[in-house]
Amino acid sequence: MHLLLRCMRGCCRRSRMPRSLRRPLSYIKLIFKSLYFNSLTNSEVVFDSMLEPVFWMVEIVTRWFGMVFVFLVVALTSSVIFIAYYCLLPLVLQTYSPGWIMWHICYGHWIIVMIAFHYYKATSTPPGYPPKMKTDVPFVSVCKKCIIPKPARSHHCGICKTCILKMDHHCPWLNNCVGHYNHRYFFSFCLFLTLGCMYCSISGRNLFIDAYNAIDHFRHMEAEKQGVPVTGIGLLIGIAPSEGVAGKVLQEVSQPPYTNKDRMFHKSIIYMWVLTSTVSVALGALTLWHALLITRGETSIERHINHKETKRLAKRGKVYRNPFSYGKLNNWKVFFGVEKRSHWLTRIFLPSGHTPYGDGLTWDIYPLKKDMMPV
């Protein structure tokens, strides 16, 4: 580092550079000096400084394309619901028993209501912001960008350009920060969307296999310009009752032509299954990760902070304890706002717009660290 600065200084002295290049060169020298100007600088600070342009570009792109991500969520979810109503529901009504019909209709509509409600609330509910005027609320630091006191668990969002109470992360799919007042909506949306995708993936597996085989068979038959047998798709389109009976009948009866409607039907089934299966795996992993954080009483940001504190205190022979964890069960009660037994149903498995505990400024919910809600 020192050799580089000496070379740069020597070049400046030997060749009198124009004034238009002196200022950028001076700025570069200042950046290099800022990397080691005090004893608190370490490799992490240098690495973060080098990645600062990348973070800046990510913030810009996320801010500009926020509404595009929201549109994609609405469009993809609506497409799956349309296919379920247009393609799957008629098959369910024609082939299933009354008990299974009732199950699919009730479960499917319940999932749709829960997904739509929690996504709307997650996107429209402000995450919570610390007061900008001077108050008596205790704070742990001062934001270097907002120049306002930061309460515990508050962090600055570079995309929203403000501090967020109990900030977890900025979600581009919501075009909103996940904080104190909409954290529950975000997690519930992820949970119920995962359950809905798993439901479509599991219940539509056989339909996907039949549709894929049908398209493959018809593609080969069209290439050979021959008749197209439908063995293997009778259960999908309701032509034949079983494979054994279908094999005998179809040998004698000529097969009608493969229309564009049939092709679109099969492609819609494949599209729905691939999309829901992919989302259920990816979003399911994210949901499990956030469930683990909720069990520990942490946010995504606090997970990294607590990990560093744990390592730092371990070197001194001490054990770090999360001050915002009230026990595994109590952490879930605080998160969902469970105050009595009926709330496990009405506030988790039914749409509920109740506000979370506290104001996001102080966190003395359980001063004695014991179960205050025996439910």
Side-chain angles (χ1 to χ4, degrees):
M1 188 72 69
H2 289 287
L3 292 176
L4 180 60
L5 292 176
R6 287 180 182 178
C7 293
M8 295 172 62
R9 191 181 301 113
C11 293
C12 294
R13 291 177 179 177
R14 295 173 185 175
S15 59
R16 296 180 179 179
M17 302 182 64
R19 183 176 299 179
S20 59
L21 295 179
R22 291 178 187 174
R23 295 184 64 182
L25 184 60
S26 301
Y27 182 66
I28 294 175
K29 290 167 60 178
L30 180 62
I31 292 176
F32 276 101
K33 290 182 179 180
S34 66
L35 296 178
Y36 60 93
F37 80 101
N38 60 28
S39 60
L40 299 178
T41 304
N42 53 27
S43 59
E44 294 182 358
V45 176
V46 175
F47 186 71
D48 291 342
S49 301
M50 296 174 63
L51 291 180
E52 188 65 27
V54 179
F55 297 150
W56 180 75
M57 286 299 300
V58 171
E59 292 176 358
I60 294 296
V61 172
T62 305
R63 189 183 304 116
W64 286 354
F65 290 92
M67 293 304 299
V68 176
F69 289 126
V70 173
F71 173 78
L72 286 176
V73 173
V74 175
L76 294 176
T77 305
S78 301
S79 66
V80 172
I81 295 175
F82 174 79
I83 294 173
Y85 274 100
Y86 184 75
C87 299
L88 301 185
L89 186 58
L91 292 178
V92 171
L93 297 178
Q94 294 175 6
T95 58
Y96 288 176
S97 63
W100 279 110
I101 292 176
M102 185 63 63
W103 154 254
H104 283 288
I105 292 178
C106 292
Y107 183 82
H109 286 84
W110 172 71
I111 281 289
I112 293 174
V113 170
M114 297 299 288
I115 292 173
F117 172 80
H118 287 103
Y119 186 72
Y120 170 77
K121 296 293 288 185
T123 55
S124 60
T125 302
Y129 312 102
K132 299 186 179 298
M133 304 298 293
K134 185 178 180 180
T135 61
D136 295 332
V137 176
F139 61 94
V140 295
S141 63
V142 176
C143 180
K144 298 179 181 179
K145 298 182 179 180
C146 295
I147 318 298
I148 61 173
K150 289 172 57 176
R153 314 187 80 176
S154 298
H155 300 279
H156 184 86
C157 177
I159 300 174
C160 297
K161 300 297 183 182
T162 185
C163 288
I164 306 297
L165 296 178
K166 191 197 168 190
M167 179 178 176
D168 187 89
H169 69 287
H170 184 95
C171 181
W173 302 105
L174 302 179
N175 193 29
N176 195 9
C177 263
V178 177
H180 177 63
Y181 288 102
N182 64 347
H183 194 182
R184 178 177 65 88
Y185 298 129
F186 164 77
F187 177 78
S188 298
F189 165 71
C190 293
L191 175 64
F192 290 111
L193 185 60
T194 301
L195 293 178
C197 290
M198 292 176 62
Y199 164 73
C200 293
S201 178
I202 295 174
S203 60
R205 177 181 174 274
N206 293 333
L207 293 175
F208 164 75
I209 296 175
D210 292 337
Y212 182 85
N213 292 333
I215 292 179
D216 186 64
H217 284 310
F218 279 113
R219 184 185 296 112
H220 285 76
M221 292 302 177
E222 286 179 357
E224 298 175 0
K225 295 183 180 181
Q226 296 180 356
V228 184
V230 294
T231 304
I233 65 168
L235 297 177
L236 174 62
I237 59 178
I239 295 177
S242 64
E243 295 183 359
V245 177
K248 297 179 180 179
V249 174
L250 292 174
Q251 291 176 358
E252 302 175 358
V253 181
S254 61
Q255 170 64 22
Y258 188 56
T259 63
N260 290 330
K261 183 178 179 180
D262 296 332
R263 183 179 288 104
M264 290 301 300
F265 177 86
H266 294 150
K267 289 184 177 180
S268 298
I269 296 296
I270 294 175
Y271 161 79
M272 184 197 69
W273 189 86
V274 172
L275 178 62
T276 55
S277 299
T278 305
V279 173
S280 62
V281 173
L283 191 61
L286 179 65
T287 305
L288 290 176
W289 167 249
H290 279 278
L292 179 62
L293 294 178
I294 295 171
T295 304
R296 295 176 175 176
E298 299 175 328
T299 62
S300 299
I301 298 177
E302 292 170 353
R303 173 59 180 165
H304 299 286
I305 297 175
N306 294 344
H307 181 66
K308 292 181 180 179
E309 286 296 311
T310 301
K311 293 175 60 177
R312 185 179 66 85
L313 293 180
K315 294 179 180 179
R316 301 180 180 180
K318 299 180 181 179
V319 178
Y320 175 78
R321 298 187 182 277
N322 182 14
F324 307 113
S325 177
Y326 310 103
K328 296 181 179 180
L329 182 59
N330 279 335
N331 288 334
W332 284 100
K333 294 177 183 178
V334 172
F335 182 80
F336 282 115
V338 176
E339 298 177 348
K340 53 185 180 180
R341 297 183 186 277
S342 61
H343 286 171
W344 289 107
L345 174 64
T346 59
R347 292 191 171 184
I348 299 179
F349 297 102
L350 293 177
S352 178
H354 65 280
T355 57
Y357 279 111
D359 53 6
L361 302 175
T362 57
W363 299 94
D364 54 350
I365 300 175
Y366 295 136
L368 302 179
K369 298 286 184 178
K370 65 180 181 180
D371 195 339
M372 302 290 288
M373 292 183 292
V375 293

